[in-house]
Amino acid sequence: MSCVIIYLPTMAAAVHKLQVVKLIRSQIRNPERIRKTLTALGLGRKDSSVIHKNSATVNGQLQRVLHLVEVTPLTFDSSKPSPTGAPFLCDNGLMLGCTEAEMLARVEQRQQQS
């Protein structure tokens, strides 16, 4: 008696457009190539965070330094006001007081300036 397994792909979750990259380990005692990649990502010191678009270029850089960083998809909740009035990033990747379109425009503007 033979068994046949049929694979039916399920609907994948929506791909996030923005991601939070946090440097969780120091860049000390790493090769210069790794340190330059972290600098290019905008990560200088331990526990620093930066928001990047989910693109092939950034994902290639993150693949190189994955052992040093923590990547979290950025989610939005514009219904809750932020405690300071300005956009506020929680530890779990939740952005308060800002919409996805506004944050995407800010990230694109920052990338054009550099």
Side-chain angles (χ1 to χ4, degrees):
M1 187 175 198
S2 65
C3 180
V4 177
I5 299 174
I6 300 174
Y7 173 71
L8 297 173
T10 59
M11 295 298 291
V15 178
H16 56 278
K17 294 181 182 178
L18 296 170
Q19 53 197 5
V20 179
V21 182
K22 181 178 181 181
L23 184 62
I24 56 171
R25 295 191 61 205
S26 175
Q27 54 185 337
I28 297 173
R29 291 192 178 205
N30 280 295
E32 184 179 355
R33 186 175 181 183
I34 299 292
R35 290 194 305 262
K36 285 184 176 181
T37 303
L38 289 170
T39 304
L41 285 169
L43 298 168
R45 295 182 176 207
K46 186 179 173 194
D47 293 327
S48 61
S49 298
V50 67
I51 299 173
H52 281 288
K53 285 176 63 175
N54 187 6
S55 65
T57 306
V58 172
N59 289 339
Q61 290 176 334
L62 290 175
Q63 192 100 34
R64 186 177 287 176
V65 295
L66 202 54
H67 59 289
L68 300 174
V69 299
E70 177 181 84
V71 181
T72 317
L74 188 61
T75 56
F76 294 89
D77 189 3
S78 58
S79 64
K80 295 180 183 177
S82 67
T84 60
F88 182 75
L89 179 64
C90 299
D91 289 336
N92 60 356
L94 179 67
M95 180 68 77
L96 300 176
C98 184
T99 64
E100 185 174 6
E102 292 171 352
M103 187 54 65
L104 192 58
R106 289 181 185 190
V107 171
E108 288 175 353
Q109 181 183 14
R110 187 188 73 218
Q111 286 179 347
Q112 288 176 356
Q113 289 176 352
S114 60

